Amino acid sequence: MRVFVTGATGFIGQAVVRDLIDAGHEVFGLARKPESAATLEESGARALLGDIEDFACLAEGAKASDAVIHTAFIHDFTRFAECCEADRKAIGALGEAMVGTDKPLIVTSGMVGGNEDNDAPTPSASYPRASEPAAFAFLDRGVRAMAIRLPQVHDREKQGLITFLIEVAKQKGESAYMEGMDVRWAAAHRFDAARLYLLALEKGVAGGRYHAVAEEGVPLREIAEIVGQRLGIPVVAKKPEEAPAHFGFLGHFMGLNLRGSSELTRARLGWSPTGPDLLDDLRHATNLELS
């Protein structure tokens, strides 16, 4: 099967491409820069130069392939709503190019909690991401749309939102969590999350929502404690009213319980995560090494 992958040279996309090629699929990957395209082709994939705001390029890739996996996202959380809108439009361009084909369109969404058969949240000012409704709008137009919901995806170099939390700790000289709140975030290792895309491609059903959750909820306080220990800085609790000033854009996320279950995903797709857990990766994280 020829698979068009957006974000093919990104943190998750690279691992998805590797798994697809190892499974015998042909990969057609989107790359923003010539050097990224060269790296992609060295891995055994074909490259298409462009980005998710180039709708003609997206349509070209979708039409030339048997399936689409959309992992690209503009990770600028200081303009999160704008990035979510760009994602919605990109999915629309991909979907329009696939109408009537019954091709799989697998998009990426965020962790919203609950089980896989729950309805997706309605986009709002507090959570404007519309990946799932944008894709699922094509279900009755002959597109086999599915969604992968990602938690905090980690390895020893990056850890989702925690990567930004580490930078705040370095800048402020203290590692913080929310006072009086049992905030927990679901997590999965990068390679485990990538493997789920392959399983969804080969076994997933139209309208499927799959959770890449290896750990249902890691306490934010324990995350802050390891960050503080590794950096040699105090670990402190912040009141909710202090969050915006201390955490910046992260303040919105710090009080959210981004938990989730993968029980249905494991049963439906046979997904079985094996990678290191989040706290273990943090104990050995390269972005927590002191210079």
Side-chain angles (χ1 to χ4, degrees):
M1 185 182 296
R2 173 184 282 187
V3 185
F4 179 47
V5 180
T6 71
T9 59
F11 181 59
I12 295 170
Q14 287 185 55
V16 171
V17 167
R18 184 201 65 179
D19 283 352
L20 289 169
I21 291 174
D22 287 349
H25 297 288
E26 180 184 356
V27 175
F28 198 30
L30 187 69
R32 287 185 299 164
K33 301 176 181 178
E35 52 267 36
S36 298
T39 299
L40 191 57
E41 297 199 346
E42 287 174 4
S43 73
R46 292 182 57 194
L48 177 64
L49 273 175
D51 59 44
I52 63 168
E53 296 181 289
D54 185 343
F55 302 143
C57 182
L58 294 177
E60 178 187 346
K63 289 177 180 178
S65 303
D66 303 308
V68 173
I69 294 179
H70 177 56
T71 70
F73 189 80
I74 303 170
H75 289 95
D76 183 351
F77 292 101
T78 63
R79 53 187 188 100
F80 187 48
E82 182 182 337
C83 296
C84 290
E85 178 62 11
D87 181 57
R88 184 189 67 78
K89 290 180 178 178
I91 292 170
L94 292 166
E96 288 292 346
M98 300 169 72
V99 167
T101 64
D102 195 40
K103 293 178 181 178
L105 169 60
I106 302 173
V107 302
T108 304
S109 181
M111 181 51 56
V112 294
N115 290 317
E116 293 77 3
D117 56 350
N118 284 359
D119 289 337
T122 301
S124 63
S126 61
Y127 188 81
R129 191 160 187 176
S131 313
E132 292 180 35
F136 291 175
F138 291 97
L139 284 171
D140 61 358
R141 299 180 64 192
V143 179
R144 201 156 12 118
M146 295 170 258
I148 304 292
R149 289 176 174 171
L150 296 180
Q152 305 312 303
V153 179
H154 58 88
D155 62 9
R156 293 187 177 186
E157 296 181 6
K158 296 178 69 175
Q159 307 85 24
L161 290 173
I162 299 160
T163 302
F164 300 99
L165 189 63
I166 290 169
E167 292 307 309
V168 171
K170 290 177 179 178
Q171 293 166 13
K172 301 286 186 176
E174 55 186 16
S175 179
Y177 62 95
M178 301 303 293
E179 182 178 85
M181 301 175 68
D182 183 25
V183 178
R184 294 170 182 259
W185 289 351
H189 191 272
R190 179 166 71 110
F191 293 155
D192 286 324
R195 194 177 311 115
L196 186 56
Y197 286 88
L198 174 63
L199 289 171
L201 175 69
E202 297 181 339
K203 300 180 181 180
V205 299
R209 295 184 176 98
Y210 304 110
H211 282 196
V213 172
E215 297 178 90
E216 294 192 4
V218 181
L220 187 56
R221 180 170 182 166
E222 293 184 21
I223 293 169
E225 287 171 348
I226 291 177
V227 171
Q229 181 183 39
R230 290 289 312 278
L231 294 177
I233 58 178
V235 178
V236 299
K238 296 293 180 181
K239 294 179 171 60
E241 59 268 26
E242 297 176 300
H246 182 84
F247 296 108
F249 76 87
L250 271 178
H252 170 71
F253 298 98
M254 294 303 293
L256 297 180
N257 268 301
L258 302 177
R259 307 185 192 193
S261 166
S262 60
E263 182 179 353
L264 295 178
T265 292
R266 297 177 194 230
R268 291 168 177 170
L269 299 184
W271 183 64
S272 181
T274 60
D277 63 34
L278 172 60
L279 296 183
D280 184 61
D281 266 348
L282 284 175
R283 292 186 185 99
H284 302 89
T286 58
N287 54 341
L288 283 169
E289 291 177 353
L290 296 175
S291 57

